[in-house]
Amino acid sequence: MEHLRNFCIIAHIDHGKSTLADRLLEATQTVEQRRMMAQVLDDMDLEREKGITIKSHAIQMNYHHKGKVYTLNLIDTPGHVDFSYEVSRAISSCEGAILVVDASQGIQAQTIANLYLALGAELTVIPVLNKIDLPGARVDVVTDEVVNLLGCEPEDVILASAKEGIGVTQILEAVIERVPPPQGNPHAPLKALIFDSVYNPFRGTITYFRIFDGQMSKGEWLKFMATGAEYQADEIGILRLDKEPRQTVACGDVGYLISGIKEVKEVKVGDTITSRDRPADAPIQGFKEVKPMVFAGVYPVDTDEFEDLRASLEKLQLNDASLVYEPETSAALGFGFRVGFLGMLHMEIVQERLEREFNMTVITTVPNVAYIAELNDGTRLPVNCPSDLPDPARTKHVEEPFVKAQIITKSEYIGAIMSLCIDKRGVFRNQHYLTPERVEIIFDLPLAEVVFDFYDRLKTISRGYASLDYELIGFRESHLVKLDIMLNGDPVDALSAIIHRDKAYDYGKKICVKLKELIPRQQFEIAIQAGIGTRIIARETIRALRKDVTAKCYGGDISRKRKLLEKQKKGKKRMRQIGSVEVPQSAFMAVLKLDD
């Protein structure tokens, strides 16, 4: 264990974590040159296309230092705020963290958020200033920012360029010299933390773990402490670029386990693995449950594919522990699931993965956050979708989740950002200058306002400079109403929304106008209405496609034409009563882009 180091790489999005991981793998000759490519640890097509890390990836490296061979377990982590749960899992498996800061952009919001996660877990932090070769690099200024943030010495900050390979040797040496080796008892009963898992259609569930006490041997019977399930270790090993089987995985090490687990629910991320015959006294503590921020309905386009969608979500949940779902039904869309996501990017990624990895074509309804309704008798009900909202006569008040939003930006954009936050019903809390040029603004904002288009608008008004991080701070009472969208008097539950009363009229008008553009014309007139309870607040009408029934009349008495027109009028009236209005998928997604 003296020659073992476990560390992760944390940073804001696009500061060069995956590129640095590539250089570390090259420097330690873990990956052969012929197999080397950009973002080598990111094995999803989506990750390469978007240039982001979605899942944490673990890999073991060997490095020679002062005549000794050291084993280094590296976990590369995502940078986007939606995937901070992945970061917390990686941090719980490590003793050290490399904090990467872009020399041209400086400290961003997610840099600070991830740093606090690492310090909270008592990790040794190694600051690295990346991209020093760029023309816009402000090495001295950003070094001072890092020193002020961490309280370290300027010489502790390693200057590097992951693209050019500058400073990689110094980083590896710093990991060996500064990060402490794992502390654990190799002779104690087995205690291993599950920090990730993936589903393999041929081998069942593959579990990734970090051993804190004892050791794991091939063939022994293991017990999962949270679920109580018992399995035999068919194959165990360490994680190189490919999995390498071993007879034993020692204390302090990171490895994988294949035990023929076919039931997806048997493995819980954060669970503790122990030996069946010599179990540990208590599970490993301090692992937090994830809380979904955004809820949306996910429905199969073909209702016969409901069970296939359930199986796909089960397998995806194993690969992404932050995904939660439960069955629900919609009058407009049939059977489907109410799915909880960590944010809008997470929702987009899950939808894309369902289509690519499982060939599922799905309809996603308007996203909304979780509310709490307090009834007149004091009962508190969770409200995850508009149809759950109880009758206003029975409701005392509705509470919505608020977040503490931390925005870091250039000082010239303060005014525009303040206006945006106030427009989103934000409450100003604090303002702090990190340097004369960079300022940190803290607002309390309703989560419902943040998850839609807040991030995109923030980037637009700050020309890409501002960065955002947010954490949930609890529920507060708000004046919320349920806005129903009706087509010919029938409510479309998939388009309903819970919204603040002050914004309901504007929102209702916009959505009616948008639907008028998107719903194709029928042989009968369609009324699109937005209503709160029994009160209609906005209306648009789609005119009927009119067939010229008088074309065959080439003269004669006018009463002949009138007769035909009357017959058409009756037909249209009957058609309106029995005709159904088809709502295209684009209409559900258009609600997200109402401000475009």
Side-chain angles (χ1 to χ4, degrees):
M1 281 167 65
E2 277 299 308
H3 299 133
L4 188 61
R5 300 288 184 273
N6 296 320
F7 69 101
C8 58
I9 304 178
I10 55 176
H12 189 76
I13 191 167
D14 207 25
H15 278 205
K17 294 175 299 302
S18 298
T19 314
L20 178 59
D22 291 351
R23 295 296 86 79
L24 294 175
L25 295 177
E26 277 181 355
T28 54
Q29 297 175 354
T30 305
V31 182
E32 299 164 31
Q33 200 59 45
R34 65 190 174 85
R35 296 184 68 182
M36 198 66 209
M37 55 183 169
Q39 287 178 266
V40 71
L41 289 182
D42 295 346
D43 49 13
M44 260 187 259
D45 293 341
L46 262 176
E47 292 179 310
R48 297 183 184 286
E49 283 170 26
K50 292 181 180 285
I52 58 172
T53 302
I54 294 166
K55 277 193 70 63
S56 300
H57 298 270
I59 192 162
Q60 193 177 92
M61 309 177 285
N62 291 337
Y63 187 65
H64 295 264
H65 180 62
K66 294 183 180 174
K68 294 175 184 170
V69 180
Y70 288 85
T71 302
L72 310 176
N73 285 314
L74 157 70
I75 302 179
D76 178 28
T77 63
H80 196 278
V81 63
D82 278 12
F83 302 111
S84 53
Y85 179 63
E86 291 278 340
V87 181
S88 72
R89 284 169 25 188
I91 282 171
S92 63
S93 315
C94 298
E95 281 80 34
I98 296 175
L99 181 73
V100 180
V101 181
D102 188 322
S104 58
Q105 294 183 37
I107 289 169
Q108 303 279 297
Q110 203 60 26
T111 314
I112 297 172
N114 288 339
L115 171 66
Y116 287 158
L117 279 176
L119 294 176
E122 298 180 0
L123 267 59
T124 302
V125 177
I126 300 168
V128 171
L129 208 61
N130 193 23
K131 306 189 185 181
I132 58 166
D133 58 318
L134 289 182
R138 302 170 295 126
V139 176
D140 296 339
V141 176
V142 180
T143 303
D144 289 343
E145 285 181 22
V146 173
V147 168
N148 290 336
L149 183 66
L150 279 173
C152 61
E153 298 299 321
E155 51 269 21
D156 293 341
V157 182
I158 299 169
L159 304 181
S161 167
K163 199 172 183 183
E164 300 297 325
I166 302 164
V168 175
T169 310
Q170 290 93 305
I171 292 169
L172 286 165
E173 288 172 1
V175 167
I176 290 164
E177 287 163 11
R178 296 189 210 172
V179 175
Q183 301 297 313
N185 183 353
H187 308 295
L190 171 66
K191 201 184 269 190
L193 173 78
I194 300 175
F195 69 87
D196 206 355
S197 56
V198 294
Y199 184 79
N200 183 306
F202 306 107
R203 311 205 64 181
T205 304
I206 302 171
T207 309
Y208 298 137
F209 60 83
R210 150 78 200 274
I211 298 183
F212 282 86
D213 285 324
Q215 66 171 24
M216 191 183 288
S217 306
K218 184 180 176 181
E220 78 169 309
W221 279 89
L222 303 170
K223 183 177 181 181
F224 292 74
M225 293 182 85
T227 58
E230 294 179 1
Y231 285 98
Q232 192 173 15
D234 295 342
E235 183 184 310
I236 60 170
I238 58 164
L239 296 156
R240 294 279 176 156
L241 195 56
D242 299 315
K243 297 173 184 67
E244 285 192 8
R246 293 274 192 276
Q247 287 301 315
T248 58
V249 178
C251 180
D253 220 334
V254 173
Y256 72 92
L257 161 71
I258 299 173
S259 51
I261 303 171
K262 289 285 185 277
E263 272 297 308
V264 170
K265 299 181 188 72
E266 297 282 298
V267 178
K268 279 190 163 56
V269 171
D271 193 1
T272 303
I273 306 174
T274 189
S275 172
R276 184 188 70 175
D277 304 323
R278 192 176 165 225
D281 303 334
I284 298 161
Q285 296 301 317
F287 201 83
K288 64 173 188 177
E289 277 291 312
V290 63
K291 289 188 178 68
M293 297 281 201
V294 180
F295 290 86
V298 175
Y299 295 84
V301 169
D302 184 354
T303 48
D304 296 342
E305 294 178 349
F306 174 71
E307 285 303 325
D308 296 342
L309 180 60
R310 185 198 292 274
S312 304
L313 282 169
E314 273 187 8
K315 288 168 188 170
L316 196 57
Q317 188 182 40
L318 192 73
N319 214 337
D320 180 357
S322 55
L323 191 72
V324 293
Y325 63 90
E326 57 184 40
E328 73 164 7
T329 55
S330 157
L333 300 169
F335 291 104
F337 294 92
R338 168 80 19 189
V339 186
F341 306 96
L342 297 179
M344 292 299 280
L345 177 68
H346 187 213
M347 178 177 146
E348 190 186 318
I349 296 293
V350 166
Q351 199 174 344
E352 195 111 356
R353 286 183 71 184
L354 280 171
E355 287 182 10
R356 289 185 186 207
E357 295 173 28
F358 303 101
N359 295 322
M360 293 297 307
T361 313
V362 294
I363 293 174
T364 310
T365 65
V366 184
N368 63 280
V369 299
Y371 300 93
I372 291 175
E374 187 168 315
L375 303 181
N376 294 332
D377 60 3
T379 314
R380 290 169 71 79
L381 293 176
V383 178
N384 287 339
C385 59
S387 56
D388 291 349
L389 197 67
D391 182 37
R394 292 170 51 220
T395 312
K396 189 177 174 185
H397 63 251
V398 181
E399 296 174 12
E400 66 176 328
F402 267 69
V403 294
K404 176 183 164 192
Q406 176 194 38
I407 300 161
I408 296 177
T409 180
K410 280 192 163 183
S411 49
E412 63 197 84
Y413 303 119
I414 292 176
I417 289 170
M418 290 272 199
S419 301
L420 172 66
C421 292
I422 291 163
D423 181 48
K424 295 283 186 183
R425 300 190 283 126
V427 180
F428 177 71
R429 285 288 173 231
N430 200 357
Q431 185 174 320
H432 170 61
Y433 277 85
L434 302 169
T435 68
E437 282 291 302
R438 300 168 69 73
V439 65
E440 176 189 51
I441 309 168
I442 293 173
F443 263 88
D444 288 355
L445 286 160
L447 180 62
E449 301 283 356
V450 174
V451 296
F452 273 110
D453 59 348
F454 182 79
Y455 190 67
D456 294 339
R457 286 182 62 188
L458 182 70
K459 284 287 180 193
T460 306
I461 61 178
S462 65
R463 298 197 185 131
Y465 277 107
S467 60
L468 169 73
D469 182 57
Y470 55 85
E471 59 174 302
L472 202 63
I473 54 171
F475 285 77
R476 295 183 190 175
E477 193 178 324
S478 282
H479 200 176
L480 300 166
V481 292
K482 180 187 172 192
L483 184 76
D484 286 313
I485 303 298
M486 289 164 284
L487 298 177
N488 281 348
D490 298 325
V492 183
D493 53 357
L495 288 172
S496 299
I498 296 172
I499 195 162
H500 196 271
R501 186 178 279 279
D502 294 350
K503 298 201 166 188
Y505 293 91
D506 187 39
Y507 182 83
K509 180 69 181 166
K510 279 184 181 174
I511 203 167
C512 288
V513 170
K514 197 81 173 177
L515 288 174
K516 187 181 179 183
E517 294 169 17
L518 293 166
I519 294 174
R521 287 173 73 186
Q522 308 277 347
Q523 294 282 329
F524 53 92
E525 194 176 85
I526 303 169
I528 305 166
Q529 295 167 310
I532 299 169
T534 54
R535 188 174 172 198
I536 303 300
I537 59 169
R539 174 182 168 127
E540 293 288 328
T541 306
I542 299 175
R543 295 282 168 216
L545 280 171
R546 187 165 175 274
K547 186 179 172 189
D548 189 3
V549 289
T550 58
K552 57 189 176 192
C553 285
Y554 47 87
D557 191 52
I558 187 69
S559 60
R560 290 181 63 202
K561 286 188 178 180
R562 284 218 184 98
K563 207 180 202 175
L564 286 169
L565 289 169
E566 283 299 319
K567 191 179 175 186
Q568 183 188 35
K569 197 188 273 184
K570 279 180 189 167
K572 283 198 180 297
K573 196 173 178 183
R574 184 169 161 273
M575 195 186 278
R576 182 171 172 173
Q577 286 167 352
I578 62 166
S580 63
V581 183
E582 286 291 314
V583 183
Q585 159 73 355
S586 55
F588 296 110
M589 296 316 291
V591 179
L592 306 179
K593 303 182 177 72
L594 280 180
D595 289 326
D596 289 3

